[in-house]
Each structure stands twice: as structure tokens, then as C-alpha cells.
Amino acid sequence: MRAGKLDRRVTLERATVIGKDEFGADLLRWDPVATVWAQARPNRGAERFTAAEVNGSAVMSFQIRYRPDVTVKDRLIYEGRVWNIVDVREIGRRVVTEIDATARAE
């Protein structure tokens, strides 16, 4: 991967369980793991009609230098927006980690 293509900053975050709520569900705190340089590429958007309102989502692919610790349980912050990771792939032999992520459209 050429360093010149890594022109965006993204923050990887990981959830930590800090307790339970009154219904027994986990209470999560999102802690930053790393802030890294990335290449951001828009994929496609989706829009669907649900419960009498239109819901949209944005889909992006992010390429970062290889990190073996990124999983779909993590999320990332890009341009002040929260992106949920839906797929993580290794490209090459430990050269690039490609992350597919979705965010709800504003």
C-alpha cells in the first residue's frame, strides 16, 4: 500500500462492558484503541422504507495498514460519524486490512 493514499484519519474503538442495566443488558463504554491513517472509499448507499419513515445508510470501505486485532465487534469514527464494522479482510500478506462499515444517513 502506498502511503500517499492513506490520507484520512480514523479512530478504532472497542466496547468494554461496564455493568448491567435494570433489564440485564450489558452497559457498554466505547474506548479508543488506535487512531490510524486510512484510505476511505464510498461503496453504495441504501435507502429503505420502514415503519412509515425512510431510513438510509452509508456504506464505506476503509483500508488501513495491517492490524490483526480489528473485528466486527469494533467500530470506527470517521469525520465525526460512528461507523459500524460489518466485515474485515486481510489484503495481501499482512499488508492491508480492509474494513467495510455502515453508518446511518443523517
Side-chain angles (χ1 to χ4, degrees):
M1 161 151 286
R2 298 180 59 127
K5 292 184 177 187
L6 302 176
D7 59 351
R8 309 283 188 216
R9 292 297 269 178
V10 298
T11 300
L12 299 166
E13 292 186 335
R14 184 159 296 137
T16 303
V17 177
I18 58 172
K20 302 271 186 189
D21 67 8
E22 61 272 8
F23 301 109
D26 291 338
L27 292 173
L28 301 176
R29 180 184 69 219
W30 289 93
D31 298 318
V33 174
T35 299
V36 297
W37 289 102
Q39 176 184 7
R41 293 180 297 132
N43 282 349
R44 66 192 184 287
E47 195 173 277
R48 56 190 151 83
F49 190 76
T50 307
E53 67 179 43
V54 176
N55 293 317
S57 64
V59 180
M60 296 272 284
S61 287
F62 298 90
Q63 289 189 343
I64 62 173
R65 283 187 172 35
Y66 177 73
R67 287 188 65 101
D69 60 336
V70 179
T71 69
V72 295
K73 294 180 182 179
D74 301 331
R75 70 180 189 183
L76 58 87
I77 308 296
Y78 171 61
E79 293 184 343
R81 196 168 180 192
V82 175
W83 295 80
N84 296 316
I85 297 174
V86 295
D87 191 26
V88 178
R89 293 177 301 283
E90 176 185 338
I91 307 294
R93 293 181 177 235
R94 297 186 177 187
V95 176
V96 174
T97 297
E98 186 170 71
I99 302 167
D100 289 338
T102 61
R104 182 177 167 84
E106 302 289 323

